[in-house]
Amino acid sequence: MTAEVRNTGQRALDLAGELSLADGPGGLSAGPVRTETVTLGLGGTTTVRIPLDHRLPDGPWSATLALASGWTKRTASGTVTFSGRPVSAHASQDRDQTASVLAGGLVVSALVLASFLGLVHRRNRTTPPLHAG
């Protein structure tokens, strides 16, 4: 199985993930199956390959493909049938945690800086100046 992936972000991606199949013929499920790891440059498109056993029934299957690169995670889901015809899946954005991690880091940095400046200010107020003499 393959999935075409496009990088719309602002940095290169090292993509890895898994495919899960559910609701197959007779209620079968399969996976998760690991994808091949690929690197995707800015604005680039690539094909992610997921090796499946040729003995898998044709389907239909409910497929969920989850890909991640660092904090960036995306999921696509859809119905697939292994008849040789390409199908499209609906991609959903799980959570781009990059923004929340960055915001949290900025808040923590600001608090540390404010604490440091407060200590320096208090120390300067309580320490008498040195006089040469």
Side-chain angles (χ1 to χ4, degrees):
M1 185 168 170
T2 62
E4 188 171 316
V5 180
R6 184 172 39 113
N7 183 356
T8 60
Q10 298 177 354
R11 61 185 168 94
L13 301 172
D14 289 320
L15 294 172
E18 331 182 296
L19 171 72
S20 295
L21 299 172
D23 302 323
L28 291 175
S29 62
V33 179
R34 290 185 177 262
T35 66
E36 294 177 352
T37 302
V38 295
T39 299
L40 182 55
L42 296 172
T45 301
T46 192
T47 300
V48 174
R49 299 185 191 293
I50 306 102
L52 296 175
D53 192 311
H54 69 280
R55 295 174 290 180
L56 228 76
D58 286 344
W61 297 87
S62 293
T64 302
L65 176 62
L67 296 175
S69 176
W71 293 97
T72 303
K73 298 179 182 182
R74 299 290 185 270
T75 301
S77 59
T79 302
V80 297
T81 302
F82 304 120
S83 63
R85 292 187 328 247
V87 296
S88 62
H90 171 69
S92 65
Q93 183 172 330
D94 275 351
R95 286 186 304 191
D96 187 355
Q97 297 174 339
T98 305
S100 60
V101 169
L102 181 59
L106 289 173
V107 168
V108 169
S109 297
L111 290 173
V112 169
L113 181 60
S115 297
F116 177 72
L117 292 174
L119 286 172
V120 168
H121 179 64
R122 184 180 333 149
R123 190 172 196 196
N124 286 341
R125 274 191 7 209
T126 59
T127 306
L130 294 177
H131 294 286

